[in-house]
Amino acid sequence: MHAFARNHPEQLSNEPVKRIRLARTLDELMQVIALRAVVYMAEQDCPYTEEFDGNDFCGVHLLGTINDEPAGCIRARFFADFSKLERLAVRRDFRRSSLAFDLV
């Protein structure tokens, strides 16, 4: 008799594993900040004071990973009768994926 280990469905496919979660820990928030620094400051030459505007602690951040690698993020701020999605950033290596749409 042979026993075969069952693979998780994600492991059977060659598709990348995408996950989106709330940034809840300091490490996850640091990943969000690093992503935004790479995309906006390094690639687009955006000044630090313009990108990091003081609103990061009054909103929530979604962190998107592909194969456990930080790939994208977005910030949401909530007001009395509306919410505002801001600071969408996806690393250049992952821009051909649907991650930006998934984050929004």
Side-chain angles (χ1 to χ4, degrees):
M1 180 172 155
H2 292 15
F4 295 97
R6 289 189 169 202
N7 290 330
H8 196 277
E10 294 170 344
Q11 296 171 340
L12 297 175
S13 167
N14 288 333
E15 289 292 314
V17 178
K18 287 190 287 186
R19 290 192 173 93
I20 296 175
R21 64 183 181 274
L22 283 174
R24 295 180 179 174
T25 66
L26 180 58
D27 181 58
E28 290 169 343
L29 186 57
M30 290 173 65
Q31 291 176 49
V32 167
I33 290 169
L35 283 164
R36 287 175 40 199
V38 166
V39 171
Y40 290 108
M41 293 174 62
E43 288 182 18
Q44 299 178 15
D45 203 27
C46 179
Y48 175 86
T49 54
E50 189 175 313
E51 176 52 31
F52 297 99
D53 58 1
N55 290 317
D56 288 319
F57 291 116
C58 60
V60 296
H61 301 270
L62 294 176
L63 174 63
T65 59
I66 296 181
N67 295 335
D68 293 326
E69 184 69 19
C73 61
I74 194 167
R75 178 175 78 190
R77 289 192 298 148
F78 302 93
F79 299 90
D81 57 351
F82 69 97
S83 61
K84 187 175 180 185
L85 297 177
E86 307 169 314
R87 305 297 198 263
L88 172 66
V90 176
R91 280 177 41 197
R92 180 178 287 144
D93 297 346
F94 302 106
R95 290 191 190 141
R96 292 189 182 267
S97 73
S98 64
L99 184 62
F101 296 102
D102 298 337
L103 284 163
V104 172

